[in-house]
Amino acid sequence: MKKTSSYLVSLLILFLIFSLLSCASKKNLYYFQGDETILNEVYKYTPTLKPDDMLIITVSALDLESTLPFNQQSPYNTNASGSESITSTNPRLKTYLIDENGEIDFPVLGKIKLGGLTRSQAMDFMRNKLKVYIKDPSVNIHISNFRITVLGEVSKPGTYTLSNEKITLLEALGLAGDLTIYGKRKDIIVIRDKDGKKIFTHVDLTSNELFKSPVYYLSQNDVIYVHPNGAKTNSSAYSATTSVFISLAGIIISVISVLTR
């Protein structure tokens, strides 16, 4: 009977020790906890063009010849078949850098300011400018270097260049393969450049409040950093501590065995 009691006590001690080492609260892992009505209150964000954006601008009209002066291409725009094409996704089409004043230097039109405008506003602005030279012009603007960077405890950290200038924080984390089990879900940091300053915003993925965050929609060159959680940061300590606990458990079991003989 005493041996059985000793065995049960030993098992209980070992269970408690390993539970302390491996336990994790569901509240620290589950996303979007809290009031679901907040899901209808997503932060309103409209991306605008900024300095250092690289723009691909294509002008079209029924009279294609009249658009040629405005659709300049790089010297290496000929494809393998020897033909040329003008598309918004052609990497050989000339790009226009928005300078520190928010301006680009566009053929015929010269210096025009697009910084601070949305993509739709910029297209309307250029369309009105081009009406002097082209009948019923159409303008398409594409940001060729829109990218975000995801670092820390995610499956695929890295810099991602996007074809769409409107992306959410959740979509960016999805591109990076989501957080690892060691990612700290309650404290995601989004680093954003604004007027020459670094703005750090903390986001809690376990709360529905993230949908109201000003960084729910990401901006050009945003950096997302996922902190390691306690299990990760203390992993080296755990490896050393685990052996101590096991040794301590062995001593306790030995003492109990002696006392219950």
Side-chain angles (χ1 to χ4, degrees):
M1 182 68 179
K2 289 183 178 180
K3 288 185 177 180
T4 301
S5 299
S6 173
Y7 179 72
L8 291 175
V9 171
S10 300
L11 286 178
L12 179 61
I13 291 172
L14 288 173
F15 175 76
L16 291 174
I17 290 173
F18 285 106
S19 294
L20 289 173
L21 292 174
S22 61
C23 67
S25 172
K26 292 181 179 179
K27 290 184 178 181
N28 293 328
L29 295 176
Y30 288 3
Y31 293 176
F32 322 138
Q33 300 173 52
D35 185 1
E36 292 186 1
T37 60
I38 293 177
L39 298 178
N40 298 320
E41 303 177 17
V42 176
Y43 181 82
K44 304 299 182 184
Y45 170 73
T46 303
T48 57
L49 302 178
K50 299 178 178 63
D52 296 328
D53 283 351
M54 297 289 293
L55 307 181
I56 295 176
I57 302 174
T58 55
V59 179
S60 58
L62 289 175
D63 182 6
L64 292 179
E65 188 173 349
S66 66
T67 68
L68 293 179
F70 305 97
N71 288 317
Q72 294 190 1
Q73 296 177 302
S74 73
Y76 308 101
N77 62 345
T78 304
N79 59 30
S81 64
S83 62
E84 295 181 350
S85 61
I86 299 176
T87 66
S88 62
T89 58
N90 188 342
R92 293 172 179 170
L93 197 63
K94 183 175 179 179
T95 57
Y96 299 89
L97 175 68
I98 299 182
D99 64 22
E100 64 276 8
N101 298 317
E103 298 177 331
I104 66 168
D105 192 359
F106 196 72
V108 183
L109 299 183
K111 288 279 189 179
I112 55 174
K113 187 168 184 177
L114 300 182
L117 301 179
T118 65
R119 194 169 69 93
S120 178
Q121 289 171 340
M123 289 189 294
D124 288 340
F125 174 77
M126 291 195 65
R127 191 178 298 114
N128 289 328
K129 290 279 189 181
L130 290 167
K131 285 180 180 178
V132 178
Y133 308 95
I134 304 172
K135 183 180 179 180
D136 297 327
S138 177
V139 179
N140 183 50
I141 297 177
H142 171 71
I143 303 174
S144 66
N145 66 335
F146 190 96
R147 57 179 174 262
I148 50 95
T149 300
V150 188
L151 302 173
E153 284 298 328
V154 292
S155 298
K156 298 181 292 184
T159 297
Y160 296 85
T161 300
L162 311 170
S163 59
N164 187 351
E165 69 272 11
K166 193 169 185 179
I167 182 174
T168 68
L169 173 60
L170 298 178
E171 289 170 330
L173 292 173
L175 284 176
D178 200 5
L179 279 67
T180 69
I181 193 64
Y182 298 111
K184 192 173 183 180
R185 286 148 174 79
K186 287 182 173 288
D187 191 17
I188 308 296
I189 295 180
V190 177
I191 307 169
R192 176 171 295 174
D193 284 317
K194 188 174 182 179
D195 300 327
K197 297 181 180 179
K198 300 287 186 184
I199 306 297
F200 291 75
T201 303
H202 296 257
V203 180
D204 181 357
L205 291 184
T206 67
S207 170
N208 283 338
E209 292 290 331
L210 78 94
F211 293 100
K212 298 166 64 177
S213 171
V215 296
Y216 176 68
Y217 283 104
L218 299 178
S219 185
Q220 161 76 301
N221 290 324
D222 277 357
V223 176
I224 303 163
Y225 176 68
V226 180
H227 281 293
N229 60 21
K232 180 70 172 182
T233 54
N234 296 324
S235 60
S236 58
Y238 278 156
S239 60
T241 306
T242 300
S243 59
V244 174
F245 273 126
I246 293 175
S247 299
L248 180 61
I251 294 173
I252 293 173
I253 291 171
S254 299
V255 171
I256 292 175
S257 298
V258 171
L259 295 176
T260 54
R261 282 178 182 174

